[in-house]
Amino acid sequence: MLPKQEVVAMLLAGGQGSRLGVLTKNLAKPAVPFGGKYRIIDFPLSNCVNSGIETVGVLTQYQPLELNEYIGSGQPWDLDSTNAGVHILPPYQRNKRSDWYKGTANAICQNIPFIERYNPDYVVVLSGDHIYKMDYSQMVAFHKEKDAACTIAVYEVPMEEASRFGILNTREDDSIYEFDEKPKVPKSNKASMGIYVFSWDKLKKYLIADDEDPKSQNDFGKNVLPAMLEAGERMFAYRFEGYWKDVGTIESLWESNMDLLDPNVSLDLNDTEWKIYSRNPVMPAHYVAKGAKVQNSLVAEGCNVYGEIDFAVLFAGVYVAPGAVVKDSIVMPGARIEEGAVVQYAIVAENSVVGANSVVGERPEAMENKDDWGVAVIGPGCTIAPGTVVPPKAMIDAEEVDK
Amino acid sequence: MRGNNVLGILFAYVHEERVRELTENRVMASIPYGGRYRLVDFPLSNMVNSGINKVGVITETNYQSLMDHLGSGKAWDLSRKREGLYLLPPFGAETTRRTDARIETLSSIMRFLKNSHEDYVLLSDCDLVANIDYRDVFRFHTEKNADITLVYRRGTSPDTDKNCVYTIDPEGVVRDMLVKRGSDADCNYGLGIRLISKDLLVKLVEDCMSRNLYDFDRDLLQRCLPDLRVVGYEVTGAAYPITSFGSYFNANMALMDPKVRAQLFTSTQPIYTKVRDDMPVKYGLGSVIGNSIVADGCFIDGEVENCVLFRGVQVKKGAKLKNCVIMQDTVVGENTRLDYVVADKNVIFEQDRSMAGHQNYPVYISKGSRV
């Protein structure tokens, strides 16, 4: 028996993230690069460590290779301790009823034995597609104070956008009386952040009941939480203030990266008390050449900048040639922007090459029909031939380029 | 594949007196270099990249910052059950060293040497910025059937009076060696790296100790030349010995040359260092930057030209930096102008300050100063 852990975190990292297109073709969404040197999963993992949670189970299913490699022993996040730490939990074969993870609840249900080893009082369920800094220990304290069975973190969104979210309707004391999935006429603006704290004995009971129901889709939002509410369990909404963004789409991923360049956005990655840890590349400090123009940008180690960048996020080892221009764009690790190329409102994925004098993306104000505008995406490992024009909203896949 | 038959020994402290400014609060090995490194990162990474997986680091005084930097050796992959990193401070199990003479130092770690199963020892100082594959040195040593291999570079000596200068015959054998010398013309100057079999090293050190001989270069190496086969291995390419404050400044500035960076930082033989988990550099509106090296965690809102900025440096609006080396977490206030300044860690330049040195004489601002 391992030493008791009061709180165990379970991180749902198995989804495909199909809305990110080529970026997640061969990569699980939580492993998508973010913010110059991070990957999305660094945020929940760092939040766990900074909140004092020492045991994290990462549930993987879709394209886990790079994600597994990235997490490794968990050492970059201090999650490599002897009796706790981070554990990768893929679906596995058992002597009867082997199955893939059928839904978010089923993924946790299949790992009840893992959780039980730590004999926890509380289980925190997290997802791997949000950018935010949050002290989960405060949420757990709130959960204890309310003597709740389940606490759901909520974010107050503008009322006019509330119909895009899963909305929680609450009473005065923050107890939840109704779930409203994408309501046409929202009664509240409290959107679920997909962050749950459960009392383990309650969660276990409902997971087992859910597993025995053949009609259930084994999903937290659709099945387990409504079942708990219906049974009259104490469920509370925990209000979160601060920066929070779902980066499940190309637009939101792009926007969230650009938010890092906005001095008015409250996401501070330089806070020594709440560092976001990541696996650091082994590269020298970056070099900016004479004649380069650099403004409003984030530039990581190993970059060589000879051209012009403005509102750009350059990841480790990016090369921007003389005369190349990168504006309002994200350039992921190891990518090269060759001479005279113009990249604007675009995401250039890992190890891609944008050939000389190519044009990728377009400024929205230069478009006649605004509906045709969107962020252009160059998939991982693409080589864009010199002089190519890649229109806005395009999504270039390396395998199709080769054909 | 890991592992070879060579034990690494690093002298973390030697030649500190040559850069007194920078070694006031730290050992030679932990002098910051190139935006994110310490000098020890170069020999240590070279050793690890060459398959050496047991390294002893000999320290004398002031070694707290070095211990802090090295930690368990994890960043160099030297935190392991078999072999790994060993710090060898002056207060050992049986002896307390009272001098920093290299021979006495080696004598005090005799048990460590004898207990190591490796047959060869690579002894290196920590005052050289270079990326050298020691496997080539080892191969050369074996091919030449050498007793001792000394690593050298050919060129004008870095200093007029501080070098070991070798006379080497066409076979590669060292015929003569001058200690504490220099030369205006091209010469073969030593880089402070020696490969020797362990048994021979133990024998020579014990012999010197019993004869009251303490100078490694004069008493151990020079005395060997007639009787033993001492050969020289030539290093070409980027190599910067830090022999003075000026050479330290120039070695930083040399990084602006892409060819130098390509030789020092290769993807197959990377230079490892301690991770600090800083965010990428944030350039603000109105920042102007050219020909500079900038490490993670910096905030640049002013103008920067021909500078090396270490992790966490802040350059406020209107500040103008030219030809500077600015170490970790130093803050340059608004409208402050600096030219040929080397600022140590945690310096605060308030607003509207102005300071200038000269190319031959950069101004040094000590750690934690407030200007």
Side-chain angles (χ1 to χ4, degrees), chain B residues 271-309:
Chain B
I271 304 299
Y272 302 95
T273 190
K274 187 186 174 189
V275 165
R276 227 180 78 152
D277 286 295
D278 282 318
M279 67 179 286
V281 179
K282 201 166 185 178
Y283 289 96
L285 180 67
S287 65
V288 177
I289 179 152
N291 198 38
S292 293
I293 299 280
V294 188
D296 271 8
C298 290
F299 284 78
I300 314 291
D301 290 306
E303 293 184 25
V304 178
E305 195 186 333
N306 301 335
C307 291
V308 175
L309 305 186

mmCIF file of all heavy atoms in Angstrom, chain B residues 271-309:
data_model
loop_
_atom_site.group_PDB
_atom_site.id
_atom_site.type_symbol
_atom_site.label_atom_id
_atom_site.label_comp_id
_atom_site.label_asym_id
_atom_site.label_seq_id
_atom_site.Cartn_x
_atom_site.Cartn_y
_atom_site.Cartn_z
ATOM 1 N N ILE B 271 25.589 21.649 -25.376
ATOM 2 C CA ILE B 271 26.110 22.091 -24.091
ATOM 3 C C ILE B 271 24.920 22.173 -23.135
ATOM 4 O O ILE B 271 23.980 22.929 -23.365
ATOM 5 C CB ILE B 271 26.812 23.468 -24.216
ATOM 6 C CG1 ILE B 271 27.925 23.418 -25.277
ATOM 7 C CG2 ILE B 271 27.381 23.901 -22.864
ATOM 8 C CD1 ILE B 271 29.048 22.428 -25.007
ATOM 9 N N TYR B 272 24.983 21.372 -22.090
ATOM 10 C CA TYR B 272 23.887 21.321 -21.125
ATOM 11 C C TYR B 272 24.111 22.359 -20.031
ATOM 12 O O TYR B 272 25.236 22.726 -19.722
ATOM 13 C CB TYR B 272 23.804 19.938 -20.483
ATOM 14 C CG TYR B 272 23.607 18.838 -21.468
ATOM 15 C CD1 TYR B 272 24.690 18.123 -21.975
ATOM 16 C CD2 TYR B 272 22.336 18.507 -21.924
ATOM 17 C CE1 TYR B 272 24.511 17.109 -22.903
ATOM 18 C CE2 TYR B 272 22.150 17.500 -22.850
ATOM 19 C CZ TYR B 272 23.242 16.797 -23.336
ATOM 20 O OH TYR B 272 23.063 15.801 -24.250
ATOM 21 N N THR B 273 23.027 22.795 -19.419
ATOM 22 C CA THR B 273 23.144 23.683 -18.278
ATOM 23 C C THR B 273 21.923 23.516 -17.400
ATOM 24 O O THR B 273 20.960 22.839 -17.764
ATOM 25 C CB THR B 273 23.319 25.145 -18.725
ATOM 26 O OG1 THR B 273 23.662 25.934 -17.592
ATOM 27 C CG2 THR B 273 22.049 25.705 -19.363
ATOM 28 N N LYS B 274 21.960 24.129 -16.230
ATOM 29 C CA LYS B 274 20.830 24.037 -15.315
ATOM 30 C C LYS B 274 19.617 24.749 -15.906
ATOM 31 O O LYS B 274 19.749 25.839 -16.454
ATOM 32 C CB LYS B 274 21.224 24.680 -13.984
ATOM 33 C CG LYS B 274 20.203 24.517 -12.888
ATOM 34 C CD LYS B 274 20.630 25.315 -11.672
ATOM 35 C CE LYS B 274 19.553 25.279 -10.614
ATOM 36 N NZ LYS B 274 19.846 26.217 -9.531
ATOM 37 N N VAL B 275 18.468 24.140 -15.749
ATOM 38 C CA VAL B 275 17.231 24.696 -16.280
ATOM 39 C C VAL B 275 16.645 25.684 -15.279
ATOM 40 O O VAL B 275 16.723 25.464 -14.075
ATOM 41 C CB VAL B 275 16.238 23.540 -16.541
ATOM 42 C CG1 VAL B 275 14.836 24.049 -16.732
ATOM 43 C CG2 VAL B 275 16.671 22.738 -17.750
ATOM 44 N N ARG B 276 16.103 26.794 -15.778
ATOM 45 C CA ARG B 276 15.526 27.773 -14.868
ATOM 46 C C ARG B 276 14.031 27.983 -15.074
ATOM 47 O O ARG B 276 13.382 28.720 -14.345
ATOM 48 C CB ARG B 276 16.261 29.111 -15.017
ATOM 49 C CG ARG B 276 16.645 29.730 -13.679
ATOM 50 C CD ARG B 276 17.375 31.037 -13.853
ATOM 51 N NE ARG B 276 16.470 32.127 -14.173
ATOM 52 C CZ ARG B 276 16.718 33.396 -13.852
ATOM 53 N NH1 ARG B 276 17.828 33.718 -13.238
ATOM 54 N NH2 ARG B 276 15.878 34.344 -14.187
ATOM 55 N N ASP B 277 13.464 27.354 -16.089
ATOM 56 C CA ASP B 277 12.023 27.472 -16.354
ATOM 57 C C ASP B 277 11.539 28.908 -16.478
ATOM 58 O O ASP B 277 10.490 29.280 -15.940
ATOM 59 C CB ASP B 277 11.211 26.727 -15.282
ATOM 60 C CG ASP B 277 11.294 25.229 -15.454
ATOM 61 O OD1 ASP B 277 10.792 24.740 -16.475
ATOM 62 O OD2 ASP B 277 11.886 24.559 -14.602
ATOM 63 N N ASP B 278 12.314 29.730 -17.164
ATOM 64 C CA ASP B 278 11.861 31.082 -17.472
ATOM 65 C C ASP B 278 10.966 31.062 -18.704
ATOM 66 O O ASP B 278 11.062 30.160 -19.528
ATOM 67 C CB ASP B 278 13.066 31.984 -17.782
ATOM 68 C CG ASP B 278 13.775 32.426 -16.528
ATOM 69 O OD1 ASP B 278 13.092 32.759 -15.565
ATOM 70 O OD2 ASP B 278 15.014 32.445 -16.523
ATOM 71 N N MET B 279 10.143 32.072 -18.826
ATOM 72 C CA MET B 279 9.341 32.197 -20.040
ATOM 73 C C MET B 279 10.235 32.711 -21.178
ATOM 74 O O MET B 279 11.328 33.217 -20.931
ATOM 75 C CB MET B 279 8.155 33.125 -19.825
ATOM 76 C CG MET B 279 8.526 34.573 -19.593
ATOM 77 S SD MET B 279 7.075 35.621 -19.363
ATOM 78 C CE MET B 279 6.435 35.720 -21.038
ATOM 79 N N PRO B 280 9.778 32.574 -22.448
ATOM 80 C CA PRO B 280 10.584 33.120 -23.543
ATOM 81 C C PRO B 280 10.735 34.631 -23.394
ATOM 82 O O PRO B 280 10.023 35.261 -22.624
ATOM 83 C CB PRO B 280 9.761 32.779 -24.788
ATOM 84 C CG PRO B 280 8.875 31.664 -24.385
ATOM 85 C CD PRO B 280 8.586 31.867 -22.929
ATOM 86 N N VAL B 281 11.659 35.209 -24.154
ATOM 87 C CA VAL B 281 11.918 36.646 -24.065
ATOM 88 C C VAL B 281 10.716 37.426 -24.583
ATOM 89 O O VAL B 281 10.156 37.108 -25.631
ATOM 90 C CB VAL B 281 13.158 37.020 -24.904
ATOM 91 C CG1 VAL B 281 13.409 38.519 -24.828
ATOM 92 C CG2 VAL B 281 14.354 36.235 -24.415
ATOM 93 N N LYS B 282 10.345 38.459 -23.851
ATOM 94 C CA LYS B 282 9.220 39.282 -24.286
ATOM 95 C C LYS B 282 9.752 40.627 -24.788
ATOM 96 O O LYS B 282 10.377 41.362 -24.017
ATOM 97 C CB LYS B 282 8.254 39.482 -23.132
ATOM 98 C CG LYS B 282 6.877 39.867 -23.583
ATOM 99 C CD LYS B 282 5.889 39.709 -22.442
ATOM 100 C CE LYS B 282 4.477 39.981 -22.911
ATOM 101 N NZ LYS B 282 3.505 39.788 -21.843
ATOM 102 N N TYR B 283 9.543 40.897 -26.051
ATOM 103 C CA TYR B 283 9.918 42.181 -26.635
ATOM 104 C C TYR B 283 8.689 43.078 -26.659
ATOM 105 O O TYR B 283 7.635 42.678 -27.145
ATOM 106 C CB TYR B 283 10.424 41.987 -28.064
ATOM 107 C CG TYR B 283 11.765 41.308 -28.134
ATOM 108 C CD1 TYR B 283 11.858 39.937 -28.348
ATOM 109 C CD2 TYR B 283 12.944 42.030 -27.984
ATOM 110 C CE1 TYR B 283 13.088 39.303 -28.407
ATOM 111 C CE2 TYR B 283 14.177 41.402 -28.041
ATOM 112 C CZ TYR B 283 14.243 40.051 -28.249
ATOM 113 O OH TYR B 283 15.462 39.434 -28.302
ATOM 114 N N GLY B 284 8.824 44.284 -26.142
ATOM 115 C CA GLY B 284 7.687 45.191 -26.086
ATOM 116 C C GLY B 284 7.601 46.088 -27.304
ATOM 117 O O GLY B 284 8.455 46.049 -28.199
ATOM 118 N N LEU B 285 6.568 46.921 -27.285
ATOM 119 C CA LEU B 285 6.390 47.906 -28.347
ATOM 120 C C LEU B 285 7.537 48.908 -28.281
ATOM 121 O O LEU B 285 7.864 49.410 -27.213
ATOM 122 C CB LEU B 285 5.048 48.625 -28.133
ATOM 123 C CG LEU B 285 4.691 49.697 -29.158
ATOM 124 C CD1 LEU B 285 4.452 49.078 -30.520
ATOM 125 C CD2 LEU B 285 3.452 50.465 -28.702
ATOM 126 N N GLY B 286 8.163 49.169 -29.394
ATOM 127 C CA GLY B 286 9.240 50.153 -29.431
ATOM 128 C C GLY B 286 10.605 49.594 -29.100
ATOM 129 O O GLY B 286 11.580 50.338 -29.024
ATOM 130 N N SER B 287 10.719 48.297 -28.892
ATOM 131 C CA SER B 287 12.039 47.722 -28.627
ATOM 132 C C SER B 287 12.850 47.715 -29.920
ATOM 133 O O SER B 287 12.315 47.539 -31.004
ATOM 134 C CB SER B 287 11.914 46.305 -28.081
ATOM 135 O OG SER B 287 11.356 45.451 -29.052
ATOM 136 N N VAL B 288 14.145 47.958 -29.760
ATOM 137 C CA VAL B 288 15.045 47.944 -30.916
ATOM 138 C C VAL B 288 16.192 47.030 -30.555
ATOM 139 O O VAL B 288 16.817 47.211 -29.508
ATOM 140 C CB VAL B 288 15.575 49.359 -31.218
ATOM 141 C CG1 VAL B 288 16.569 49.323 -32.378
ATOM 142 C CG2 VAL B 288 14.430 50.307 -31.528
ATOM 143 N N ILE B 289 16.449 46.046 -31.388
ATOM 144 C CA ILE B 289 17.515 45.116 -31.037
ATOM 145 C C ILE B 289 18.289 44.701 -32.270
ATOM 146 O O ILE B 289 17.719 44.553 -33.345
ATOM 147 C CB ILE B 289 16.946 43.882 -30.293
ATOM 148 C CG1 ILE B 289 18.066 42.901 -29.949
ATOM 149 C CG2 ILE B 289 15.842 43.210 -31.065
ATOM 150 C CD1 ILE B 289 17.833 42.068 -28.746
ATOM 151 N N GLY B 290 19.593 44.576 -32.126
ATOM 152 C CA GLY B 290 20.433 44.130 -33.230
ATOM 153 C C GLY B 290 21.688 43.463 -32.727
ATOM 154 O O GLY B 290 22.232 43.846 -31.692
ATOM 155 N N ASN B 291 22.132 42.457 -33.429
ATOM 156 C CA ASN B 291 23.379 41.755 -33.168
ATOM 157 C C ASN B 291 23.567 41.432 -31.681
ATOM 158 O O ASN B 291 24.548 41.812 -31.071
ATOM 159 C CB ASN B 291 24.550 42.612 -33.664
ATOM 160 C CG ASN B 291 25.811 41.778 -33.816
ATOM 161 O OD1 ASN B 291 25.745 40.633 -34.243
ATOM 162 N ND2 ASN B 291 26.947 42.341 -33.441
ATOM 163 N N SER B 292 22.607 40.733 -31.127
ATOM 164 C CA SER B 292 22.672 40.439 -29.694
ATOM 165 C C SER B 292 22.233 39.020 -29.393
ATOM 166 O O SER B 292 21.476 38.411 -30.145
ATOM 167 C CB SER B 292 21.787 41.412 -28.909
ATOM 168 O OG SER B 292 22.310 42.710 -28.996
ATOM 169 N N ILE B 293 22.735 38.530 -28.254
ATOM 170 C CA ILE B 293 22.353 37.215 -27.736
ATOM 171 C C ILE B 293 21.457 37.468 -26.529
ATOM 172 O O ILE B 293 21.839 38.204 -25.619
ATOM 173 C CB ILE B 293 23.616 36.452 -27.272
ATOM 174 C CG1 ILE B 293 24.573 36.224 -28.421
ATOM 175 C CG2 ILE B 293 23.242 35.176 -26.534
ATOM 176 C CD1 ILE B 293 24.221 35.093 -29.318
ATOM 177 N N VAL B 294 20.282 36.858 -26.519
ATOM 178 C CA VAL B 294 19.337 37.110 -25.435
ATOM 179 C C VAL B 294 18.804 35.776 -24.902
ATOM 180 O O VAL B 294 18.331 34.944 -25.673
ATOM 181 C CB VAL B 294 18.156 37.982 -25.916
ATOM 182 C CG1 VAL B 294 17.284 38.389 -24.746
ATOM 183 C CG2 VAL B 294 18.652 39.214 -26.658
ATOM 184 N N ALA B 295 18.900 35.594 -23.592
ATOM 185 C CA ALA B 295 18.440 34.342 -22.985
ATOM 186 C C ALA B 295 17.008 34.465 -22.488
ATOM 187 O O ALA B 295 16.494 35.570 -22.312
ATOM 188 C CB ALA B 295 19.362 33.942 -21.839
ATOM 189 N N ASP B 296 16.382 33.330 -22.216
ATOM 190 C CA ASP B 296 14.988 33.286 -21.758
ATOM 191 C C ASP B 296 14.771 34.139 -20.511
ATOM 192 O O ASP B 296 15.674 34.332 -19.707
ATOM 193 C CB ASP B 296 14.599 31.842 -21.442
ATOM 194 C CG ASP B 296 14.040 31.124 -22.658
ATOM 195 O OD1 ASP B 296 14.100 31.696 -23.754
ATOM 196 O OD2 ASP B 296 13.552 29.998 -22.511
ATOM 197 N N GLY B 297 13.562 34.616 -20.368
ATOM 198 C CA GLY B 297 13.191 35.343 -19.158
ATOM 199 C C GLY B 297 13.474 36.832 -19.210
ATOM 200 O O GLY B 297 13.209 37.537 -18.251
ATOM 201 N N CYS B 298 14.034 37.328 -20.329
ATOM 202 C CA CYS B 298 14.315 38.768 -20.441
ATOM 203 C C CYS B 298 13.060 39.531 -20.873
ATOM 204 O O CYS B 298 12.195 38.982 -21.563
ATOM 205 C CB CYS B 298 15.414 39.032 -21.479
ATOM 206 S SG CYS B 298 17.041 38.487 -20.956
ATOM 207 N N PHE B 299 13.008 40.783 -20.466
ATOM 208 C CA PHE B 299 11.952 41.700 -20.924
ATOM 209 C C PHE B 299 12.650 42.883 -21.571
ATOM 210 O O PHE B 299 13.359 43.626 -20.897
ATOM 211 C CB PHE B 299 11.109 42.177 -19.745
ATOM 212 C CG PHE B 299 10.155 41.144 -19.254
ATOM 213 C CD1 PHE B 299 10.600 40.106 -18.453
ATOM 214 C CD2 PHE B 299 8.817 41.181 -19.612
ATOM 215 C CE1 PHE B 299 9.725 39.125 -18.016
ATOM 216 C CE2 PHE B 299 7.936 40.208 -19.169
ATOM 217 C CZ PHE B 299 8.386 39.177 -18.368
ATOM 218 N N ILE B 300 12.457 43.064 -22.877
ATOM 219 C CA ILE B 300 13.179 44.100 -23.597
ATOM 220 C C ILE B 300 12.188 45.163 -24.080
ATOM 221 O O ILE B 300 11.348 44.882 -24.933
ATOM 222 C CB ILE B 300 13.929 43.521 -24.830
ATOM 223 C CG1 ILE B 300 14.689 42.247 -24.471
ATOM 224 C CG2 ILE B 300 14.842 44.577 -25.450
ATOM 225 C CD1 ILE B 300 15.865 42.410 -23.580
ATOM 226 N N ASP B 301 12.307 46.344 -23.527
ATOM 227 C CA ASP B 301 11.484 47.452 -24.006
ATOM 228 C C ASP B 301 12.345 48.586 -24.551
ATOM 229 O O ASP B 301 11.833 49.543 -25.117
ATOM 230 C CB ASP B 301 10.586 47.978 -22.879
ATOM 231 C CG ASP B 301 9.506 46.972 -22.523
ATOM 232 O OD1 ASP B 301 8.784 46.552 -23.438
ATOM 233 O OD2 ASP B 301 9.424 46.575 -21.350
ATOM 234 N N GLY B 302 13.666 48.519 -24.336
ATOM 235 C CA GLY B 302 14.559 49.581 -24.786
ATOM 236 C C GLY B 302 15.354 49.179 -26.022
ATOM 237 O O GLY B 302 14.914 48.345 -26.808
ATOM 238 N N GLU B 303 16.545 49.797 -26.157
ATOM 239 C CA GLU B 303 17.379 49.517 -27.327
ATOM 240 C C GLU B 303 18.601 48.707 -26.925
ATOM 241 O O GLU B 303 19.279 49.042 -25.959
ATOM 242 C CB GLU B 303 17.845 50.835 -27.960
ATOM 243 C CG GLU B 303 16.702 51.625 -28.554
ATOM 244 C CD GLU B 303 17.198 52.886 -29.261
ATOM 245 O OE1 GLU B 303 18.369 52.913 -29.701
ATOM 246 O OE2 GLU B 303 16.412 53.821 -29.353
ATOM 247 N N VAL B 304 18.894 47.689 -27.673
ATOM 248 C CA VAL B 304 19.991 46.783 -27.342
ATOM 249 C C VAL B 304 20.806 46.503 -28.611
ATOM 250 O O VAL B 304 20.241 46.099 -29.624
ATOM 251 C CB VAL B 304 19.446 45.449 -26.771
ATOM 252 C CG1 VAL B 304 20.584 44.485 -26.473
ATOM 253 C CG2 VAL B 304 18.615 45.690 -25.520
ATOM 254 N N GLU B 305 22.101 46.742 -28.538
ATOM 255 C CA GLU B 305 22.950 46.486 -29.700
ATOM 256 C C GLU B 305 24.276 45.877 -29.243
ATOM 257 O O GLU B 305 24.880 46.346 -28.278
ATOM 258 C CB GLU B 305 23.214 47.816 -30.425
ATOM 259 C CG GLU B 305 23.768 47.631 -31.813
ATOM 260 C CD GLU B 305 24.144 48.973 -32.437
ATOM 261 O OE1 GLU B 305 23.556 50.008 -32.080
ATOM 262 O OE2 GLU B 305 25.062 48.963 -33.262
ATOM 263 N N ASN B 306 24.734 44.850 -29.899
ATOM 264 C CA ASN B 306 25.988 44.151 -29.572
ATOM 265 C C ASN B 306 26.068 43.765 -28.100
ATOM 266 O O ASN B 306 27.045 44.058 -27.425
ATOM 267 C CB ASN B 306 27.219 45.020 -29.875
ATOM 268 C CG ASN B 306 27.286 45.434 -31.325
ATOM 269 O OD1 ASN B 306 26.723 44.746 -32.187
ATOM 270 N ND2 ASN B 306 27.948 46.527 -31.599
ATOM 271 N N CYS B 307 25.043 43.109 -27.597
ATOM 272 C CA CYS B 307 25.031 42.756 -26.179
ATOM 273 C C CYS B 307 24.780 41.271 -25.972
ATOM 274 O O CYS B 307 24.193 40.610 -26.822
ATOM 275 C CB CYS B 307 23.925 43.515 -25.445
ATOM 276 S SG CYS B 307 24.245 45.273 -25.308
ATOM 277 N N VAL B 308 25.229 40.790 -24.822
ATOM 278 C CA VAL B 308 24.837 39.464 -24.363
ATOM 279 C C VAL B 308 23.991 39.670 -23.108
ATOM 280 O O VAL B 308 24.477 40.221 -22.119
ATOM 281 C CB VAL B 308 26.060 38.582 -24.045
ATOM 282 C CG1 VAL B 308 25.615 37.242 -23.460
ATOM 283 C CG2 VAL B 308 26.900 38.359 -25.290
ATOM 284 N N LEU B 309 22.734 39.271 -23.166
ATOM 285 C CA LEU B 309 21.833 39.436 -22.026
ATOM 286 C C LEU B 309 21.515 38.068 -21.448
ATOM 287 O O LEU B 309 21.059 37.175 -22.166
ATOM 288 C CB LEU B 309 20.538 40.130 -22.444
ATOM 289 C CG LEU B 309 20.664 41.491 -23.144
ATOM 290 C CD1 LEU B 309 19.282 42.094 -23.358
ATOM 291 C CD2 LEU B 309 21.526 42.451 -22.339
#
